[in-house]
């Protein structure tokens, strides 16, 4: 039968046991700028707050993953250990026990990354619209040579792809 793996089938994989770097971003500077220097709507303010929060959650998940990797190494769980693949992938092992913390942490990293990117895409769209409104005010007041030019990127294509992934994950019951 196609797609079925039998119990006696050897499974080989190379585990990624490297530490991940914490995300450093200028979100606090963006927050300060949006809160104090811009006249934007509540959605933009909310997006900046959510982005900062999700980056904090993402960093927490990255720290959890790095700690689990350190625990794996300290307990000398290796690829030769029959339990390690089950712990790494969150599958059941001897006696029906399961260790899903690593799998859930990796899923959390994926989820918070997608959510952060989703917020960032919408925030960029809102800030671009704000920039366009400000630039349009100067059309008659500023000489042509020094008129501000606002870059345009279609972040919504990216955000729709990310939101589709979030909908699929939510439907599967991970949230």
């Amino acid at each position: 039968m196609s797609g079925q793996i039998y119990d006696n089938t050897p499974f080989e994989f190379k585990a990624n046991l490297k530490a991940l770097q914490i995300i450093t971003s200028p979100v606090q500077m963006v927050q300060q700028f949006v809160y104090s220097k811009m006249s934007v709507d509540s959605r933009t303010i909310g997006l900046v707050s959510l982005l900062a929060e999700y980056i904090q959650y993402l960093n927490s998940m990255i720290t959890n993953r790095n700690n689990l990797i350190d625990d794996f190494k300290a307990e000398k769980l290796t690829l030769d250990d029959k339990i390690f693949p089950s712990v790494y992938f969150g599958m059941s092992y001897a006696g029906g026990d399961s260790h899903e913390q690593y799998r859930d942490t990796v899923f959390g990293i994926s989820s918070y990354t997608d959510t952060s990117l989703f917020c960032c895409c919408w925030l960029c769209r809102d800030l671009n619209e704000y920039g366009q409104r400000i630039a349009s005010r100067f059309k008659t007041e500023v000489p042509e040579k020094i008129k501000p030019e606002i870059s345009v990127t279609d972040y919504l294509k990216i955000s729709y792809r990310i939101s589709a992934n979030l909908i699929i994950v939510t439907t599967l019951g991970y949230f």
Side-chain angles (χ1 to χ4, degrees):
M1 185 176 206
S2 175
Q4 187 174 4
I5 299 175
Y6 298 99
D7 289 339
N8 61 351
T9 303
F11 178 71
E12 296 180 22
F13 74 101
K14 183 172 170 78
N16 180 355
L17 300 179
K18 295 178 183 175
L20 299 177
Q21 296 295 315
I22 296 296
I23 305 299
T24 55
S25 74
V27 72
Q28 285 79 19
M29 290 189 311
V30 173
Q31 266 183 312
Q32 184 179 0
F33 191 78
V34 167
Y35 294 161
S36 63
K37 308 254 187 220
M38 298 176 75
S39 178
V40 293
D41 62 10
S42 59
R43 182 178 74 182
T44 304
I45 292 169
L47 285 169
V48 171
S49 297
L50 280 174
L51 181 59
E53 191 174 326
Y54 285 129
I55 289 173
Q56 185 178 9
Y57 293 153
L58 175 58
N59 282 335
S60 175
M61 286 288 135
I62 290 171
T63 300
N64 288 345
R65 181 202 172 270
N66 289 342
N67 290 340
L68 286 168
I69 295 294
D70 290 342
D71 291 347
F72 292 161
K73 290 176 182 177
E75 294 175 20
K76 307 240 185 292
L77 287 175
T78 65
L79 297 181
D80 298 331
D81 190 345
K82 292 182 193 248
I83 294 175
F84 181 73
S86 297
V87 170
Y88 191 81
F89 293 109
M91 302 180 306
S92 296
Y93 53 91
D97 294 333
S98 64
H99 184 281
E100 298 172 353
Q101 189 175 3
Y102 183 80
R103 182 199 67 189
D104 292 347
T105 301
V106 171
F107 176 76
I109 290 170
S110 173
S111 175
Y112 287 127
T113 299
D114 284 351
T115 307
S116 297
L117 289 171
F118 182 79
C119 287
C120 192
C121 289
W122 278 93
L123 178 61
C124 287
R125 179 182 168 268
D126 286 358
L127 294 177
N128 184 278
E129 286 177 4
Y130 177 80
Q132 296 292 347
R133 281 194 314 271
I134 298 299
S136 69
R137 290 184 193 170
F138 292 103
K139 284 192 181 210
T140 57
E141 300 173 20
V142 178
E144 188 68 35
K145 290 182 181 179
I146 59 171
K147 283 186 181 174
E149 186 176 321
I150 308 299
S151 299
V152 177
T153 303
D154 192 358
Y155 293 104
L156 288 182
K157 286 182 184 177
I158 298 167
S159 68
Y160 289 142
R161 194 171 319 128
I162 293 168
S163 64
N165 290 339
L166 289 174
I167 290 168
I168 290 167
V169 165
T170 305
T171 305
L172 294 175
Y174 289 108
F175 282 120

